[in-house]
Amino acid sequence: MTTYTRKVNYHETDKMGITHHSNYIKFMEEARVDALEKLGMPFEKVEEEGIGSPIVSLTIDYKSPTKFSDVINVDVRVISYNGIKLEFSYTMTDAKTGTLVATAQSSHCFIKDGRIYSFRRDKNPMDALIQQALEADTAKAE
């Protein structure tokens, strides 16, 4: 698990001063890219290899609103991986109060040259990095 910390910007709030719900998806993406970089898989490197990672599914449960200048911690965990599909969970909390802001999950597949891509089948070294993250996150969750 990695933690990404993010301050809510003014332009990310609505007329009522509350963080617009769509921004949490952006926070998740920032946290996921940060987690992959910490894992040794900077997204630039993945894309240089011609590999894309579209979202297959996404769920978010909003628990408590945030507003401008609130700082959010986004905890990211790898919860499932089979070489082709990678799933993350996210727990977002207010950094100051610890209040649960949102929980979420996202599933991603990999594509290369317009086809489904398997890190495992291709013996890509990134397969081992993701597998290690899954094992570490699974062990922490138990």
Side-chain angles (χ1 to χ4, degrees):
M1 176 174 62
T2 63
T3 300
Y4 177 76
T5 302
R6 174 121 175 10
K7 187 175 181 178
V8 176
N9 294 304
Y10 182 77
H11 70 272
E12 295 166 327
T13 62
D14 60 20
K15 191 173 181 178
M16 297 178 292
I18 303 296
T19 307
H20 190 271
H21 67 277
S22 65
N23 288 301
Y24 292 95
I25 297 169
K26 296 173 188 174
F27 302 162
M28 292 164 53
E29 180 176 295
E30 291 172 12
R32 183 174 61 253
V33 168
D34 179 68
L36 290 171
E37 186 170 328
K38 289 176 181 171
L39 187 64
M41 285 181 62
F43 216 69
E44 298 91 343
K45 181 179 178 184
V46 175
E47 288 186 335
E48 282 172 7
E49 291 191 27
I51 301 167
S53 181
I55 291 179
V56 176
S57 68
L58 174 69
T59 61
I60 302 176
D61 292 317
Y62 300 99
K63 304 293 185 179
S64 181
T66 59
K67 55 192 178 312
F68 170 60
S69 81
D70 284 349
V71 177
I72 301 170
N73 287 329
V74 184
D75 294 330
V76 183
R77 278 190 328 114
V78 175
I79 56 171
S80 176
Y81 172 67
N82 66 8
I84 296 171
K85 186 177 176 185
L86 176 60
E87 295 181 299
F88 294 93
S89 71
Y90 310 82
T91 303
M92 295 171 245
T93 55
D94 183 297
K96 185 176 179 181
T97 66
T99 302
L100 182 62
V101 172
T103 58
Q105 286 188 290
S106 65
S107 298
H108 309 260
C109 69
F110 299 101
I111 58 170
K112 185 173 183 175
D113 301 323
R115 306 184 88 142
I116 296 294
Y117 177 77
S118 171
F119 281 108
R120 192 164 293 154
R121 185 182 60 236
D122 201 35
K123 298 186 181 357
N124 187 309
M126 290 186 233
D127 177 65
L129 296 174
I130 300 170
Q131 190 61 44
Q132 289 170 0
L134 172 63
E135 291 168 6
D137 286 347
T138 301
K140 287 178 188 173
E142 293 176 351

